[in-house]
Amino acid sequence: MTNVNDTTSLPSPRAATDTPAVGRTARALLPSRPRSEVRELRDLARRGELAARAASAPPAARARLVSAAYDIVWPIVFQRVTRPVERRRGHWACATAVQMLADDCLDRHHDDVEAVVTDLMANARVPIIDVERWVSARLTAATVDGHRRRRGRRGALQRPRVPGWLAAELGEDPWLTDLAVQILTWVGVATTAGTQLWPLDSWAQRRESVTGDLTGSDGPAVSREVDRVLAAMRRRPRWYADYVERPLGGKRPPVLAAPGDGVADPRPLLPFGPQERAEAQLADLASAAVAAIGRGLRSGADPVATVVGVLGTVFGTGTASEEIDRTPDGAPRPDEWVSALLDDADAVRRVVDEVLRVIGAAPQ
């Protein structure tokens, strides 16, 4: 796992040597490749010989080329693909740096890097003067192709679409048809929704956007609609088994802590101290505040009143249990500095402008 405190060593996965594509063993995090290996890759690319050399090189030589390609590719993928995706997901901490990516987010990042490196090794058949620019131009095609290949390996539809018979079973309802696409998409990804089978909270937000129903778009409502869509899909048992049950069965199951003796909800040992936990709690609160402000703005509420109200509610209150394990350091608590901030009219204007800028970059 990446050491978040190590900012001097950046990820450069070890190359697989057994297949032309980049294998799963390319996930190990190693120090950056020597400059001579990156220089060799650039020289081959400049002469238009990179793809041919990668295809014919002995395993050890190919491994060096692939590792050098990772060094070039991963920063581009993080800036152009991973960071925008994490921001759209509301994962603001993950969007700050590779070292801050959560496990599942890091896995998705490496999937995309692997796809782009594979594309570079296979298609760099013409002289390439600027490797970074060439890679950037092919990012979308490479990552989409990689995504479809991974879905295909799991047995899911590579391009999830609702067939005509299923749309008819759903009464051509726009939201239920959209939900069917979300289900077909979800079964083809390796990650899980925590301990749940379906990402109901995320779909509830999507339901609100699609239907405009601000009050009825919650987890229970979406759960009932998922059951309705699945019932319609089961009208074709073979199709359902091939494109829903089989890929769904390939997901990695979540790992839960075993309950202790007489403890229904054990607390895991945390590999960090109170300061890190406080920062994580603030990050969670910030994410919740952004979501609440976004809902308020979409409902037509006054921006200033919405921002001030949400910030005051989310950050302006605290509990003794949150402070009990922290050594007093004289620094103001979040509720103290937020209250002071909201009492300053100039500060409020600056905060509202910044929050609206952030909301504008988030998914609607």
Side-chain angles (χ1 to χ4, degrees):
M1 185 174 178
T2 309
N3 182 359
V4 298
N5 296 317
D6 181 5
T7 58
T8 61
S9 176
L10 296 175
S12 177
R14 180 185 297 113
T17 59
D18 54 345
T19 63
V22 181
R24 287 295 178 186
T25 53
R27 296 298 178 82
L29 299 180
L30 295 176
S32 298
R33 295 293 93 197
R35 291 184 179 180
S36 60
E37 296 182 5
V38 176
R39 187 163 52 249
E40 177 189 6
L41 183 145
R42 293 187 187 279
D43 289 342
L44 289 169
R46 192 175 295 111
R47 298 196 301 268
E49 300 173 1
L50 179 55
R53 179 67 62 86
S56 62
R62 174 177 166 76
R64 289 194 299 270
L65 286 176
V66 172
S67 295
Y70 263 88
D71 273 4
I72 294 173
V73 164
W74 79 257
I76 301 172
V77 172
F78 181 77
Q79 292 291 339
R80 301 283 299 276
V81 179
T82 306
R83 174 170 283 167
V85 167
E86 297 306 327
R87 284 174 173 168
R88 288 197 296 271
R89 292 174 180 271
H91 294 187
W92 304 106
C94 291
T96 59
V98 171
Q99 291 87 351
M100 296 299 294
L101 286 170
D103 288 346
D104 286 345
C105 301
L106 181 63
D107 193 58
R108 287 193 296 268
H109 169 71
H110 280 314
D111 279 338
D112 289 333
V113 173
E114 178 180 309
V116 175
V117 170
T118 299
D119 180 74
L120 174 62
M121 294 292 102
N123 295 307
R125 301 187 183 93
V126 298
I128 302 172
I129 304 302
D130 188 333
V131 176
E132 284 83 356
R133 180 172 295 182
W134 190 89
V135 166
S136 297
R138 296 180 60 88
L139 274 179
T140 300
T143 53
V144 169
D145 182 67
H147 176 70
R148 289 173 178 169
R149 288 177 183 274
R150 291 191 298 274
R151 291 183 61 85
R153 288 197 296 266
R154 297 184 184 108
L157 290 170
Q158 293 191 23
R159 300 183 181 184
R161 295 171 180 166
V162 174
W165 65 266
L166 180 56
E169 290 285 351
L170 298 174
E172 306 290 344
D173 182 275
W175 161 239
L176 294 180
T177 303
D178 184 276
L179 182 58
V181 174
Q182 302 309 312
I183 291 173
L184 294 173
T185 300
W186 175 251
V187 299
V189 300
T191 53
T192 62
T195 59
Q196 295 183 329
L197 181 60
W198 310 106
L200 298 178
D201 291 340
S202 174
W203 289 349
Q205 294 179 13
R206 186 175 182 88
R207 184 186 192 279
E208 175 185 318
S209 176
V210 172
T211 65
D213 183 358
L214 303 180
T215 59
S217 297
D218 54 20
V222 174
S223 179
R224 292 190 294 271
E225 289 166 341
V226 167
D227 291 339
R228 179 178 172 184
V229 172
L230 293 177
M233 290 178 171
R234 293 190 187 100
R235 301 290 178 87
R236 302 283 181 95
R238 179 66 179 272
W239 185 92
Y240 180 81
D242 286 344
Y243 300 122
V244 179
E245 280 191 335
R246 182 176 59 178
L248 190 61
K251 281 184 177 289
R252 295 191 299 267
V255 179
L256 299 177
D261 293 337
V263 179
D265 184 20
R267 293 182 176 227
L269 294 176
L270 302 177
F272 48 78
Q275 182 63 33
E276 289 78 7
R277 187 166 62 203
E279 292 178 358
Q281 289 172 343
L282 286 175
D284 290 341
L285 289 174
S287 179
V290 168
I293 292 171
R295 288 194 295 271
L297 295 178
R298 290 194 295 273
S299 67
D302 177 69
V304 175
T306 299
V307 171
V308 171
V310 170
L311 293 183
T313 300
V314 174
F315 292 100
T317 58
T319 65
S321 63
E322 294 173 349
E323 308 289 336
I324 195 169
D325 64 341
R326 301 178 191 172
T327 302
D329 55 7
R333 299 191 311 271
D335 57 327
E336 294 174 339
W337 56 258
V338 168
S339 296
L341 186 71
L342 297 181
D343 287 337
D344 185 333
D346 291 336
V348 167
R349 283 194 294 271
R350 292 195 301 271
V351 169
V352 170
D353 288 343
E354 180 63 19
V355 168
L356 294 180
R357 185 189 66 79
V358 172
I359 297 296
Q364 299 300 317

